[in-house]
Structures are given as structure tokens and as C-alpha cells.
Amino acid sequence: MKVSSLLSKLDYRLSKNSFSRPQEQVRVIVKKLHSLISGKLDTLIDLGGGAPPQYKHLLTPLAKKYLNLEIKKGIGVDIVGSVYDIPVPNASVDIVTLFMVLEHLSEPKAALIEVARVLRKGGFVAITTVQYWHTHNHPSDYLRYTKAGLEYYCKEAGFKVVDIWSQGGPFLVIFHAMELNMTGNWRTIFSILFYRLFDWLDWVDYKHNDTRVQSDSVGWSLIAQRQ
């Protein structure tokens, strides 16, 4: 086994449940959604879920039907389409997820209005997005979000924010600013050695939250409900 492959697997095992990692935020969202719904809902659309879909195994317990929408065909893609024109009828979906998608959209308000169109009244949208993160083009990278910005876009699209929380405070911002600008094995080694330390410091000092008047957040997770 190559050293890089071994380091990558070790890094994942050590950090997969750490608070600011995207997969951990999806687990938190699923747990919160379970507390808001009774039993399985009918339909969930995972917008930009990936090919293959990255979080299908976490999301399928929420709904009887899981659908993954991507902009082109691929493994595990159920619907080919755009977040600006989702090819399903009005008010036909119970949950829509946008995990690390919003920063890649040039028109987030238009996308959220389209999400509101396909959701049934009382349906939920779940979002993760970034306030600090490096530029990552898939295929483009347009925006960064504050708490107030996300709340504004949701309100404009006809949603009521049910819950919103930071994905990590200043210590985790510092960690990711260093980690994400490294490459190759150096990045993996740095993550193995220091992620847990910065994660712990962030919890001790900030409870992984961005609650001060002037502060920094890695990003935001949000659950909102269609009115």
C-alpha cells in the first residue's frame, strides 16, 4: 500500500466525526430532522448530491424515496437537471438538501425560490455552506455566507429558519486556513497531527459557535421550513 493511501485512510478515521467536517454536519442535520418529523416522509431530493451520491446512506432513513439531482449523468444520479429548474411538479417533495452547493451558485435566491416551489407546505430544506473555505471550483465557486446572509435569502424565498448553527469558530477557521492551502501528504500529515487539537480548542473556547459580535465561522448549517 502506498504511503499516501495509508495516510489518507488514517486521516479519515481520525477526523470523520470532527465537528467542521461536511459529513459530520450531515449527520447532525439528519438527527435534527428526525426530531422534527414523525416517521419516514415520502420524497427527498438531494441537489448536487454527487456521482456517486456522497450522503445517500445517511439520508435514506428520512424518506421512502431518495432522489439525487446532478447537472449531468453519472453513477447514482436519478435526475439530470438544474437547481434553477428542478424537473418535478410543484409541491411534490418533502425534503430538499443542498450540502456544500450554495457557494457554487451564482443566483442563490433564485435557487431557493425554485426549492420552495417543489416543496410541499411545511416541507424542509437543509443546507450546509461555507463562510471560510478555500476556492474550490466544481465547476465554479462564487460566494461565502454569513448567518445573516443565509437567513435573508431563506426569508426572501418563503422559508422560516427552524435552526441555524456554526460549523466551527476561530480555532477551526485557523486550522482550515492552513490545511486547505497545503497539498499532498503534507496536508494529510498536518490534519492527522493537529485536527483533533484545534477541534478541542475550538470547543473549549467557543463551543464550536460564532456567537460574538465580531467572530469567524468555518461555515453554517441550516434547516428551514416552507411556509
Side-chain angles (χ1 to χ4, degrees):
M1 182 181 292
K2 293 183 178 180
V3 172
S4 59
S5 177
L6 178 63
L7 288 173
S8 177
K9 289 183 178 181
L10 179 61
D11 178 32
Y12 178 74
R13 287 198 295 269
L14 289 174
S15 68
K16 68 176 181 177
N17 295 322
S18 294
F19 193 74
S20 67
R21 295 299 193 192
Q23 59 266 22
E24 179 60 17
Q25 286 301 310
V26 174
R27 291 188 187 97
V28 172
I29 283 173
V30 169
K31 184 177 180 180
K32 287 178 179 284
L33 283 171
H34 273 303
S35 71
L36 294 169
I37 64 177
S38 56
K40 272 192 173 185
L41 298 180
D42 288 329
T43 306
L44 180 153
I45 294 185
D46 188 10
L47 299 181
Q54 189 171 1
Y55 303 116
K56 181 177 180 178
H57 64 293
L58 296 174
L59 297 173
T60 47
L62 291 170
K64 297 173 186 177
K65 182 186 293 185
Y66 168 93
L67 297 171
N68 174 31
L69 180 146
E70 274 289 347
I71 58 176
K72 59 183 179 180
K73 293 180 180 180
I75 298 171
V77 175
D78 303 298
I79 304 172
V80 176
S82 164
V83 295
Y84 303 113
D85 186 17
I86 303 169
V88 300
N90 294 350
S92 61
V93 180
D94 298 288
I95 303 174
V96 173
T97 60
L98 294 117
F99 297 140
M100 295 302 181
V101 169
L102 217 59
E103 64 269 24
H104 299 291
L105 304 180
S106 59
E107 300 292 339
K109 180 178 174 180
L112 289 173
I113 289 172
E114 176 66 357
V115 169
R117 178 189 70 79
V118 305
L119 278 173
R120 296 185 176 98
K121 186 175 181 180
F124 294 97
V125 61
I127 296 169
T128 63
T129 191
V130 291
Q131 181 169 319
Y132 169 77
W133 208 251
H134 66 157
T135 302
H136 53 301
N137 297 314
H138 300 296
S140 299
D141 189 1
Y142 292 102
L143 298 167
R144 297 294 180 267
Y145 293 90
T146 63
K147 179 181 179 183
L150 282 173
E151 290 173 333
Y152 168 79
Y153 281 123
C154 285
K155 182 179 179 181
E156 287 290 298
F159 290 100
K160 178 183 178 182
V161 175
V162 176
D163 201 353
I164 183 169
W165 61 96
S166 169
Q167 295 169 4
F171 275 107
L172 282 170
V173 170
I174 291 169
F175 171 82
H176 287 298
M178 298 173 69
E179 177 213 16
L180 295 170
N181 285 283
M182 295 178 177
T183 57
N185 289 342
W186 287 113
R187 177 178 174 181
T188 305
I189 291 168
F190 177 81
S191 182
I192 291 169
L193 293 177
F194 294 110
Y195 193 104
R196 285 296 186 183
L197 171 62
F198 279 81
D199 191 51
W200 177 77
L201 288 171
D202 199 73
W203 172 251
V204 169
D205 282 358
Y206 301 104
K207 297 295 185 282
H208 290 329
N209 211 345
D210 183 8
T211 56
R212 299 175 301 154
V213 174
Q214 294 178 327
S215 188
D216 289 301
S217 178
V218 173
W220 296 94
S221 296
L222 176 149
I223 297 171
Q225 192 167 25
R226 184 185 179 279
Q227 298 300 287

